[in-house]
């Protein structure tokens, strides 16, 4: 993630947003909100329901932010916010990401794929 931010800023972007690829309820409004909040804040985070985050946006790379995390655990957001305690940070609404089958089980959007008619 750090490398993606560094590259975006090195080619002239003044802000960048990274999103996870496992989001079924992320909308274009969420992305507009993230970029809009970067006009007023240094960092934007989209908290995931499992304790991580689905989106991070920044105006400049913060190298230590991505080190020392237990990625994929319920403490990632908390640890990240601790690292950002001196940085003006905005939190977007909580969204769900997909890490396990249970994350989509029972969701009607996925029902045709999970239980196809034979």
């Amino acid at each position: 993630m750090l490398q993606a931010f560094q590259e975006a800023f090195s080619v002239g972007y003044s802000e960048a947003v990274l999103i996870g690829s496992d989001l079924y309820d992320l909308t274009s409004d969420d992305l507009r909100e993230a970029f809009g909040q970067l006009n007023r804040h240094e960092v934007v985070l989209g908290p995931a329901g499992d304790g991580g985050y689905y989106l991070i946006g920044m105006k400049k790379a913060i190298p230590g932010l991505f080190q020392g995390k237990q990625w994929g655990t319920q403490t990632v957001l908390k640890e990240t916010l601790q690292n950002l305690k001196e940085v003006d940070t905005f939190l977007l609404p909580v969204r769900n990401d997909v890490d396990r089958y249970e994350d989509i089980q029972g969701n009607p959007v996925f029902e045709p794929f999970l239980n196809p008619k034979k």
Side-chain angles (χ1 to χ4, degrees):
M1 288 189 285
L2 176 60
Q3 185 175 351
F5 279 112
Q6 288 173 329
E7 185 160 333
F9 298 132
S10 75
V11 297
Y13 289 99
S14 60
E15 53 195 24
V17 170
L18 299 179
I19 60 170
S21 61
D22 58 352
L23 305 162
Y24 61 85
D25 60 353
L26 184 71
T27 68
S28 56
D29 288 339
D30 293 322
L31 297 175
R32 277 191 285 278
E33 177 74 5
F35 278 104
Q37 292 300 334
L38 280 174
N39 290 326
R40 296 180 281 284
H41 306 279
E42 292 298 311
V43 173
V44 174
L45 281 172
D50 63 3
Y53 55 85
Y54 62 87
L55 177 151
I56 183 166
M58 291 192 254
K59 291 182 177 180
K60 65 179 182 179
I62 304 173
L65 192 60
F66 303 107
Q67 298 172 344
K69 304 284 185 299
Q70 293 289 328
W71 296 104
T73 68
Q74 59 188 347
T75 63
V76 173
L77 178 65
K78 181 180 177 182
E79 293 168 356
T80 302
L81 289 171
Q82 181 65 28
N83 294 139
L84 293 169
K85 65 183 174 197
E86 303 294 324
V87 179
D88 182 16
T89 303
F90 181 85
L91 294 178
L92 294 167
V94 174
R95 298 278 183 252
N96 290 313
D97 62 355
V98 179
D99 296 317
R100 297 176 303 280
Y101 172 74
E102 292 79 21
D103 295 334
I104 59 173
Q105 185 179 16
N107 185 313
V109 171
F110 297 103
E111 196 60 34
F113 304 104
L114 299 176
N115 295 305
K117 294 185 174 144
K118 297 183 181 191

